[in-house]
Short mmCIF file of all heavy atoms in Angstrom, two decimals:
data_model
loop_
_atom_site.label_atom_id
_atom_site.label_comp_id
_atom_site.label_asym_id
_atom_site.label_seq_id
_atom_site.Cartn_x
_atom_site.Cartn_y
_atom_site.Cartn_z
N ASP A 685 -12.83 -30.89 19.95
CA ASP A 685 -11.70 -30.17 19.36
C ASP A 685 -10.44 -30.50 20.13
O ASP A 685 -10.16 -29.96 21.21
CB ASP A 685 -11.95 -28.67 19.42
CG ASP A 685 -10.93 -27.87 18.63
OD1 ASP A 685 -9.84 -28.41 18.36
OD2 ASP A 685 -11.19 -26.71 18.27
N ALA A 686 -9.65 -31.42 19.58
CA ALA A 686 -8.44 -31.88 20.25
C ALA A 686 -7.34 -30.83 20.31
O ALA A 686 -6.34 -31.01 21.02
CB ALA A 686 -7.90 -33.12 19.53
N THR A 687 -7.51 -29.69 19.61
CA THR A 687 -6.48 -28.65 19.64
C THR A 687 -6.64 -27.69 20.80
O THR A 687 -5.79 -26.80 20.99
CB THR A 687 -6.49 -27.85 18.34
OG1 THR A 687 -7.71 -27.08 18.26
CG2 THR A 687 -6.39 -28.75 17.12
N LEU A 688 -7.70 -27.82 21.58
CA LEU A 688 -7.94 -26.92 22.72
C LEU A 688 -6.85 -27.13 23.77
O LEU A 688 -6.60 -28.24 24.24
CB LEU A 688 -9.30 -27.20 23.34
CG LEU A 688 -9.66 -26.39 24.58
CD1 LEU A 688 -9.70 -24.90 24.28
CD2 LEU A 688 -10.99 -26.86 25.16
N ALA A 689 -6.21 -26.02 24.18
CA ALA A 689 -5.13 -26.08 25.15
C ALA A 689 -5.64 -25.59 26.52
O ALA A 689 -6.29 -24.54 26.61
CB ALA A 689 -3.95 -25.22 24.69
N TYR A 690 -5.32 -26.35 27.54
CA TYR A 690 -5.65 -25.95 28.93
C TYR A 690 -4.73 -26.73 29.86
O TYR A 690 -3.98 -27.62 29.44
CB TYR A 690 -7.11 -26.22 29.25
CG TYR A 690 -7.54 -27.67 29.26
CD1 TYR A 690 -7.84 -28.31 30.45
CD2 TYR A 690 -7.65 -28.40 28.07
CE1 TYR A 690 -8.25 -29.65 30.46
CE2 TYR A 690 -8.05 -29.72 28.06
CZ TYR A 690 -8.34 -30.35 29.27
OH TYR A 690 -8.74 -31.65 29.28
N ARG A 691 -4.78 -26.39 31.16
CA ARG A 691 -3.89 -27.03 32.12
C ARG A 691 -4.72 -27.68 33.24
O ARG A 691 -5.70 -27.13 33.70
CB ARG A 691 -2.94 -26.01 32.75
CG ARG A 691 -1.96 -25.38 31.79
CD ARG A 691 -1.17 -24.28 32.50
NE ARG A 691 -0.35 -24.82 33.57
CZ ARG A 691 -0.32 -24.32 34.79
NH1 ARG A 691 -1.09 -23.30 35.14
NH2 ARG A 691 0.47 -24.85 35.72
N TYR A 692 -4.26 -28.84 33.69
CA TYR A 692 -4.79 -29.45 34.90
C TYR A 692 -3.85 -30.58 35.29
O TYR A 692 -3.05 -31.06 34.48
CB TYR A 692 -6.21 -29.99 34.67
CG TYR A 692 -6.30 -31.29 33.91
CD1 TYR A 692 -6.35 -32.51 34.59
CD2 TYR A 692 -6.34 -31.29 32.52
CE1 TYR A 692 -6.42 -33.71 33.90
CE2 TYR A 692 -6.41 -32.48 31.83
CZ TYR A 692 -6.47 -33.68 32.52
OH TYR A 692 -6.52 -34.87 31.82
N ALA A 693 -3.94 -31.01 36.51
CA ALA A 693 -3.10 -32.10 36.98
C ALA A 693 -3.91 -33.04 37.88
O ALA A 693 -4.33 -34.11 37.47
CB ALA A 693 -1.86 -31.60 37.72
N CYS A 694 -4.19 -32.61 39.12
CA CYS A 694 -4.73 -33.54 40.10
C CYS A 694 -6.22 -33.82 39.98
O CYS A 694 -6.68 -34.90 40.31
CB CYS A 694 -4.43 -33.05 41.51
SG CYS A 694 -5.43 -31.63 42.02
N ARG A 695 -6.99 -32.84 39.53
CA ARG A 695 -8.46 -32.95 39.38
C ARG A 695 -9.21 -33.01 40.70
O ARG A 695 -10.43 -33.19 40.72
CB ARG A 695 -8.86 -34.17 38.51
CG ARG A 695 -8.33 -34.13 37.10
CD ARG A 695 -8.77 -35.37 36.36
NE ARG A 695 -10.21 -35.41 36.23
CZ ARG A 695 -10.87 -35.30 35.07
NH1 ARG A 695 -10.17 -35.17 33.95
NH2 ARG A 695 -12.16 -35.34 35.03
N VAL A 696 -8.54 -32.87 41.85
CA VAL A 696 -9.22 -32.99 43.13
C VAL A 696 -8.97 -31.80 44.05
O VAL A 696 -9.09 -31.90 45.26
CB VAL A 696 -8.81 -34.30 43.85
CG1 VAL A 696 -9.32 -35.51 43.10
CG2 VAL A 696 -7.29 -34.36 44.05
N GLY A 697 -8.61 -30.64 43.47
CA GLY A 697 -8.48 -29.44 44.29
C GLY A 697 -7.23 -29.39 45.14
O GLY A 697 -7.24 -28.77 46.20
N MET A 698 -6.16 -30.02 44.70
CA MET A 698 -4.91 -30.01 45.47
C MET A 698 -3.81 -29.16 44.83
O MET A 698 -3.01 -28.60 45.54
CB MET A 698 -4.41 -31.45 45.64
CG MET A 698 -5.29 -32.34 46.46
SD MET A 698 -5.41 -31.83 48.19
CE MET A 698 -3.76 -32.20 48.75
N CYS A 699 -3.78 -29.10 43.50
CA CYS A 699 -2.64 -28.45 42.83
C CYS A 699 -2.95 -27.03 42.34
O CYS A 699 -2.06 -26.20 42.23
CB CYS A 699 -2.15 -29.30 41.68
SG CYS A 699 -3.29 -29.37 40.27
N GLY A 700 -4.21 -26.76 42.02
CA GLY A 700 -4.58 -25.43 41.55
C GLY A 700 -4.23 -25.13 40.10
O GLY A 700 -4.43 -24.01 39.63
N SER A 701 -3.71 -26.13 39.37
CA SER A 701 -3.24 -25.85 38.01
C SER A 701 -4.37 -25.66 37.00
O SER A 701 -4.12 -25.20 35.89
CB SER A 701 -2.32 -26.99 37.53
OG SER A 701 -3.02 -28.21 37.46
N CYS A 702 -5.60 -26.00 37.37
CA CYS A 702 -6.71 -25.92 36.43
C CYS A 702 -7.42 -24.57 36.49
O CYS A 702 -8.51 -24.43 35.95
CB CYS A 702 -7.71 -27.03 36.69
SG CYS A 702 -8.56 -26.87 38.30
N ALA A 703 -6.84 -23.57 37.15
CA ALA A 703 -7.52 -22.29 37.33
C ALA A 703 -7.78 -21.62 35.99
O ALA A 703 -6.92 -21.58 35.10
CB ALA A 703 -6.68 -21.39 38.21
N MET A 704 -8.99 -21.07 35.85
CA MET A 704 -9.40 -20.30 34.68
C MET A 704 -10.39 -19.23 35.16
O MET A 704 -10.78 -19.22 36.33
CB MET A 704 -10.12 -21.18 33.64
CG MET A 704 -9.35 -22.37 33.16
SD MET A 704 -10.41 -23.44 32.14
CE MET A 704 -9.46 -24.96 32.15
N VAL A 705 -10.79 -18.36 34.26
CA VAL A 705 -11.82 -17.38 34.54
C VAL A 705 -13.14 -17.92 34.02
O VAL A 705 -13.29 -18.17 32.82
CB VAL A 705 -11.49 -16.01 33.92
CG1 VAL A 705 -12.64 -15.03 34.16
CG2 VAL A 705 -10.19 -15.46 34.50
N VAL A 706 -14.07 -18.15 34.92
CA VAL A 706 -15.38 -18.75 34.58
C VAL A 706 -16.46 -17.71 34.78
O VAL A 706 -16.69 -17.27 35.92
CB VAL A 706 -15.65 -19.98 35.46
CG1 VAL A 706 -16.97 -20.63 35.04
CG2 VAL A 706 -14.51 -20.99 35.37
N ASN A 707 -17.10 -17.31 33.70
CA ASN A 707 -18.11 -16.25 33.75
C ASN A 707 -17.63 -15.06 34.57
O ASN A 707 -18.34 -14.52 35.43
CB ASN A 707 -19.42 -16.81 34.35
CG ASN A 707 -20.19 -17.63 33.34
OD1 ASN A 707 -19.84 -17.70 32.16
ND2 ASN A 707 -21.25 -18.30 33.78
N GLY A 708 -16.41 -14.64 34.26
CA GLY A 708 -15.84 -13.43 34.87
C GLY A 708 -15.17 -13.62 36.21
O GLY A 708 -14.62 -12.64 36.74
N ARG A 709 -15.20 -14.84 36.79
CA ARG A 709 -14.63 -15.06 38.12
C ARG A 709 -13.50 -16.08 38.02
O ARG A 709 -13.70 -17.17 37.49
CB ARG A 709 -15.69 -15.58 39.09
CG ARG A 709 -16.85 -14.62 39.31
CD ARG A 709 -17.94 -15.29 40.12
NE ARG A 709 -17.48 -15.63 41.48
CZ ARG A 709 -17.58 -14.84 42.53
NH1 ARG A 709 -18.13 -13.63 42.41
NH2 ARG A 709 -17.15 -15.22 43.72
N PRO A 710 -12.31 -15.77 38.54
CA PRO A 710 -11.24 -16.76 38.56
C PRO A 710 -11.57 -17.88 39.54
O PRO A 710 -11.95 -17.62 40.67
CB PRO A 710 -10.01 -15.96 39.01
CG PRO A 710 -10.56 -14.80 39.77
CD PRO A 710 -11.89 -14.49 39.16
#
């Protein structure tokens, strides 16, 4: 589904932009 919106940048744990709530935990 190409319409899914989310954020990420570095992919290596440096920027923090990919944060989400995963099974109730941020």
Side-chain angles (χ1 to χ4, degrees):
D685 189 340
T687 68
L688 177 62
Y690 65 109
R691 295 174 64 229
Y692 77 94
C694 74
R695 298 179 65 113
V696 293
M698 295 294 291
C699 70
S701 64
C702 67
M704 304 172 198
V705 176
V706 182
N707 283 352
R709 299 172 64 90

